[in-house]
Amino acid sequence: MNDEELISEFIKVNQDDNKIRLLVRQISWPHPHEPRSHWTVASVLPQASPPQDVDAQIQAILENSQYFKVCQECARRKPRGWMHNGNICQSCAERNYGVVY
Ligand SMILES: [Zn+2]
């Protein structure tokens, strides 16, 4: 998944009369094998914000380690909920360390 795909799957822009809200989809694992996702508001901009401000905010969300992390082994950016720990993603944990998800 490249950044563009991450943005289309995990970040959405909601606009109402007053504000532009940037939402990020976060994944949690209440039970093993049963991921759950929910949208949280990551950022709020004035309704009149120019598109480049919105894009800059989207980029900032991607780079915010609260939401996304870059895996040290495959160097791909992943949603936080797909990380095995703070450094490597679940795919790499499975492939390289025999961890079963
Ligand atoms: Zn990885």
Side-chain angles (χ1 to χ4, degrees):
M1 219 178 243
N2 61 30
D3 283 356
E4 232 164 80
E5 291 167 326
L6 279 179
I7 290 168
S8 72
E9 293 248 345
F10 290 94
I11 297 177
K12 89 185 161 188
V13 180
N14 274 1
Q15 201 158 353
D16 64 25
D17 294 344
N18 309 310
K19 301 268 186 247
I20 297 169
R21 287 188 179 80
L22 300 180
L23 296 112
V24 60
R25 183 150 69 98
Q26 295 187 285
I27 296 156
S28 58
W29 299 83
H31 305 288
H33 314 299
E34 285 179 38
R36 198 172 288 176
S37 68
H38 62 277
W39 291 92
T40 46
V41 176
S43 185
V44 180
L45 295 171
Q47 198 240 337
S49 304
Q52 60 265 34
D53 284 14
V54 177
D55 288 345
Q57 272 306 313
I58 289 172
Q59 197 57 39
I61 292 168
L62 270 185
E63 284 163 16
N64 185 334
S65 62
Q66 201 186 331
Y67 304 120
F68 298 96
K69 288 280 273 184
V70 176
C71 171
Q72 283 181 359
E73 301 220 343
C74 61
R76 297 206 176 95
R77 197 192 309 272
K78 305 266 178 163
R80 203 55 209 248
W82 290 0
M83 295 297 289
H84 172 61
N85 58 29
N87 302 318
I88 65 169
C89 71
Q90 293 181 349
S91 310
C92 288
E94 276 185 323
R95 195 177 326 119
N96 303 338
Y97 301 95
V99 176
V100 177
Y101 273 100

